[in-house]
Amino acid sequence: MTIDETGRPHHPIDRTDTVGAIGERAVIAALTASATAGEPAHDIVIGSGDDAAVLDIGGSAVISTDTVVEGRHFRFGWSTPEQVGARAVVQSSADVAAMGGRTTGLVVSIACPAETPVGVVLDLNDGVVRAAHELDARVLGGDLVAAGQVVVSVTAVGALEDRRPVSLGGARTGDVLAVSGPLGASAAGLAVLSDPRAAESDWPELVALHRVPAPDLGQGPIAAAAGAHAMTDISDGLIEELLTMSRAAGLAMAVDSDAVPRRPDLVEAAGALGVDLTRWLLAGGEDHHLLASFEAAAVPPGWTVIGSVGAPSTSAPEVWVDDRRVGGPDGPDLHGWQSFADPTGD
Amino acid sequence: MTIDETGRPHHPIDRTDTVGAIGERAVIAALTASATAGEPAHDIVIGSGDDAAVLDIGGSAVISTDTVVEGRHFRFGWSTPEQVGARAVVQSSADVAAMGGRTTGLVVSIACPAETPVGVVLDLNDGVVRAAHELDARVLGGDLVAAGQVVVSVTAVGALEDRRPVSLGGARTGDVLAVSGPLGASAAGLAVLSDPRAAESDWPELVALHRVPAPDLGQGPIAAAAGAHAMTDISDGLIEELLTMSRAAGLAMAVDSDAVPRRPDLVEAAGALGVDLTRWLLAGGEDHHLLASFEAAAVPPGWTVIGSVGAPSTSAPEVWVDDRRVGGPDGPDLHGWQSFADPTGD
């Protein structure tokens, strides 16, 4: 493998050959070469290519894994292999950020049919490597196996440095709830792709954010350093995450939907498509911005206050949106996305 | 979930319901309960159930991932879900051991069809949890997603403590080669299962070792502490691993097939089935015992010397078995197992 002036790796094997024809080892060698190209990171003792990688964590390690499945979490018609790889990295790293960690290393498992062109696997891996580099992290290794469909698992390993981990259930009565970015873009991008009346070129950034979410994961360590009491990333939609946080803390939580930050193009797209904007904001998942609870005075710059943490609840999870209880008789019934219940594909 | 007097967890959900019917979250909750049952490990700061786990590594972390696919790496007709889970843990942890690491935490991703009975997923997870406990490690978290077939990825995270990592390519001319256990049992067990003339009850231990290999992974840290120069686990067969080590070091390597340790029942089974014993010993993979090179005086108890490391080779990989070169004109052509080339199933 060589690197051209754009930093994009060139693979000497024929990209149109199938993985089965070229063989696992040759493909893994190309993936390893791609993963180890460029500047070595100071905290990697042994990188990709050995039995296992060795990472100098210098304290506590934060570990999370996330798996995406073709036809279920992504479709190659809608996303390029690079985008699929990048998205898997963001998903896992968001979980690390939600503990207050900074992702420093990733391992990647790719399962795919033997008939898959090698170029698809190389591009998927390039997406992983590039997204890792954007987080100042490195790909430490992985596995490539034959399967009936493409399944990508990414495990992110991060460093807490001198911060205390921020758990799901640490919210305290009187805290404010805040988010680290504008919500709903991924759901809106999916709606644009799904709606025959909409063209991708009308809202290109929403579609791009559906394909690869772009949360500022540096806000996780910032929130932890600011003393956040509880934190999670918004993968299943704001309401779903609030229900999880409320259940974990045993406390009521309330949000003001008008306070939820939103992109101007999201408001435009909702109007043009005649869609309920609130649904995108409150139930749209996969933006992977962070949701945290803080003492009111401790909210760091970059975060938007959207609500507050109430009293202990005997019927937790207890989440209120605009003074209506979620799941209550006249309350909103906005639910996020679950892998088995509501697949993207099939 | 409750734990009975045998330590086996009881799950309150109906095991015959499908994963799709019960829903991802309820199943994940049961898996998490199982993973967090029993004694907490002192090095886990935050275990399964949060966005990510936090592990006190106290130095360098060793990380490896391994993926197994239904119909390719295992069949539920031949292995129980518990055995599949346990085997995945051994595979990943063997890679950590091969660096000199002790596995302390694991994350597990399970992809399965929505029609899968929940009992299968719970049993698979129980196998993971039990195998982890046998290694004095803990399950830190995971992911459960829908897919067309069962795909299990296990990422093992280990601690090096004060040992130096042992790489693949560190062998030195004059070293001896040694293995940490008897080889060929997994291949022999597969042969017993495949041969209509053989009954599982004739060689139950070989079959059991095919279903769940039982290497002493504590030998990895022992070898590292003893100053091993190079090490790997034998996943693809001894010859294949020697080729990899020879290539990585640029040195010739030679083994004496008579010196390779073997179980008495392996010798019996080879005789009874009329199989070439040497093929099981040299090409049989998935035993996951360790192969290492040491200074002759440094070989620790528990290891068997099988050969030596020769001079720099301009045509590496250069591996000799009983004075015949592997791949040479009259040499043995014994190859291990590759995921795409030679699937177990399909």
Side-chain angles (χ1 to χ4, degrees):
Chain A
M1 198 200 63
T2 57
I3 307 273
D4 71 11
E5 58 283 359
T6 70
R8 187 182 167 85
H10 285 293
H11 306 285
I13 54 185
D14 184 344
R15 295 171 47 86
T16 61
D17 270 354
T18 68
V19 173
I22 289 187
E24 182 190 6
R25 290 194 173 223
V27 179
I28 288 178
L31 300 182
T32 302
S34 178
T36 54
E39 284 282 297
H42 68 93
D43 54 355
I44 296 183
V45 182
I46 294 182
S48 193
D50 213 305
D51 290 294
V54 179
L55 188 64
D56 184 5
I57 292 284
S60 291
V62 187
I63 301 143
S64 184
T65 195
D66 226 352
T67 299
V68 292
V69 178
E70 183 182 6
R72 184 77 42 175
H73 303 91
F74 65 88
R75 296 181 192 178
F76 280 130
W78 284 6
S79 298
T80 66
E82 279 201 315
Q83 289 165 343
V84 171
R87 190 169 139 186
V89 169
V90 172
Q91 285 181 359
S92 271
S93 302
D95 286 323
V96 169
M99 305 304 293
R102 186 176 59 79
T103 295
T104 57
L106 297 141
V107 291
V108 184
S109 159
I110 302 174
C112 69
E115 306 77 52
T116 308
V118 173
V120 169
V121 176
L122 296 176
D123 285 350
L124 202 156
N125 189 64
D126 284 350
V128 167
V129 170
R130 205 169 304 180
H133 280 244
E134 276 170 27
L135 293 169
D136 204 21
R138 293 295 181 274
V139 178
L140 301 173
D143 199 6
L144 176 69
V145 297
Q149 74 199 118
V150 178
V151 179
V152 182
S153 281
V154 172
T155 301
V157 180
L160 265 183
E161 289 134 1
D162 53 355
R163 298 176 297 278
R164 288 183 52 185
V166 185
S167 71
L168 259 176
R172 301 180 195 173
T173 300
D175 277 357
V176 296
L177 294 164
V179 294
S180 66
L183 302 186
S186 178
L190 176 62
V192 168
L193 284 171
S194 310
D195 193 322
R197 296 168 303 161
E200 180 174 340
S201 56
D202 296 339
W203 294 284
E205 292 181 25
L206 296 178
V207 172
L209 287 169
H210 172 66
R211 290 188 171 129
V212 185
D216 176 4
L217 298 183
Q219 293 299 333
I222 287 170
H229 292 151
M231 183 154 57
T232 192
D233 73 303
I234 302 172
S235 52
D236 294 333
L238 178 62
I239 298 258
E240 204 64 52
E241 307 301 348
L242 285 167
L243 288 168
T244 300
M245 269 199 176
S246 166
R247 188 183 300 113
L251 298 175
M253 299 193 174
V255 294
D256 172 6
S257 65
D258 287 341
V260 176
R262 63 206 69 189
R263 301 167 50 94
D265 54 356
L266 185 90
V267 180
E268 278 173 35
L273 300 179
V275 169
D276 178 7
L277 175 66
T278 313
R279 195 173 175 87
W280 284 347
L281 292 173
L282 301 186
E286 306 193 356
D287 291 316
H288 296 289
H289 293 295
L290 303 168
L291 165 68
S293 88
F294 299 92
E295 279 181 38
V299 179
W303 289 72
T304 305
V305 173
I306 61 166
S308 59
V309 178
S313 169
T314 56
S315 61
E318 182 181 339
V319 172
W320 297 77
V321 176
D322 303 338
D323 299 326
R324 294 190 304 157
R325 182 164 179 177
V326 173
D330 64 341
D333 180 26
L334 298 165
H335 278 288
W337 177 95
Q338 282 200 272
S339 176
F340 286 95
D342 184 17
T344 301
D346 293 19
Chain B
M1 197 200 63
T2 56
I3 308 272
D4 70 13
E5 58 284 358
T6 69
R8 188 181 168 86
H10 285 293
H11 306 286
I13 55 185
D14 183 345
R15 295 170 48 86
T16 61
D17 270 355
T18 67
V19 173
I22 289 186
E24 181 190 5
R25 290 194 174 224
V27 180
I28 288 177
L31 301 181
T32 302
S34 179
T36 53
E39 284 282 297
H42 68 93
D43 53 355
I44 296 182
V45 183
I46 294 181
S48 193
D50 213 305
D51 290 293
V54 179
L55 189 64
D56 185 5
I57 293 285
S60 290
V62 187
I63 301 142
S64 184
T65 195
D66 226 351
T67 300
V68 291
V69 178
E70 182 183 5
R72 184 80 38 178
H73 303 91
F74 66 87
R75 296 182 192 177
F76 280 130
W78 284 6
S79 298
T80 66
E82 278 201 317
Q83 289 164 342
V84 171
R87 188 169 142 186
V89 168
V90 172
Q91 286 181 359
S92 271
S93 301
D95 286 324
V96 169
M99 305 305 293
R102 185 176 59 78
T103 295
T104 56
L106 297 140
V107 291
V108 184
S109 160
I110 301 174
C112 69
E115 305 78 51
T116 308
V118 173
V120 169
V121 176
L122 296 176
D123 285 350
L124 203 156
N125 189 64
D126 284 350
V128 167
V129 170
R130 205 167 305 181
H133 280 243
E134 276 171 25
L135 294 169
D136 204 20
R138 292 295 181 275
V139 178
L140 301 172
D143 199 6
L144 175 69
V145 297
Q149 74 199 118
V150 178
V151 179
V152 182
S153 281
V154 171
T155 301
V157 180
L160 265 183
E161 289 132 2
D162 53 355
R163 299 177 296 277
R164 288 182 54 186
V166 185
S167 71
L168 259 176
R172 301 179 196 172
T173 300
D175 278 356
V176 296
L177 295 164
V179 294
S180 66
L183 301 187
S186 178
L190 177 62
V192 168
L193 284 171
S194 308
D195 193 321
R197 296 168 302 161
E200 180 174 341
S201 55
D202 296 338
W203 293 284
E205 291 181 26
L206 296 177
V207 172
L209 287 169
H210 172 66
R211 290 189 171 127
V212 186
D216 177 4
L217 298 183
Q219 294 297 336
I222 287 171
H229 293 151
M231 185 155 53
T232 192
D233 74 303
I234 302 172
S235 52
D236 294 333
L238 179 62
I239 297 259
E240 204 65 52
E241 306 302 347
L242 286 167
L243 289 168
T244 301
M245 268 199 177
S246 166
R247 189 184 299 112
L251 299 175
M253 298 191 176
V255 295
D256 171 7
S257 65
D258 287 340
V260 176
R262 64 205 70 190
R263 300 167 52 94
D265 55 355
L266 186 90
V267 180
E268 279 173 35
L273 300 179
V275 171
D276 178 7
L277 176 66
T278 313
R279 194 173 176 86
W280 284 348
L281 293 173
L282 301 185
E286 307 194 355
D287 291 315
H288 296 289
H289 293 295
L290 301 168
L291 164 68
S293 88
F294 299 92
E295 280 181 37
V299 179
W303 290 72
T304 305
V305 173
I306 61 166
S308 60
V309 179
S313 169
T314 54
S315 61
E318 182 181 340
V319 172
W320 296 76
V321 177
D322 303 337
D323 299 326
R324 294 189 305 158
R325 182 164 178 178
V326 173
D330 64 343
D333 181 26
L334 299 165
H335 277 289
W337 179 94
Q338 281 201 274
S339 176
F340 285 96
D342 184 17
T344 300
D346 293 20

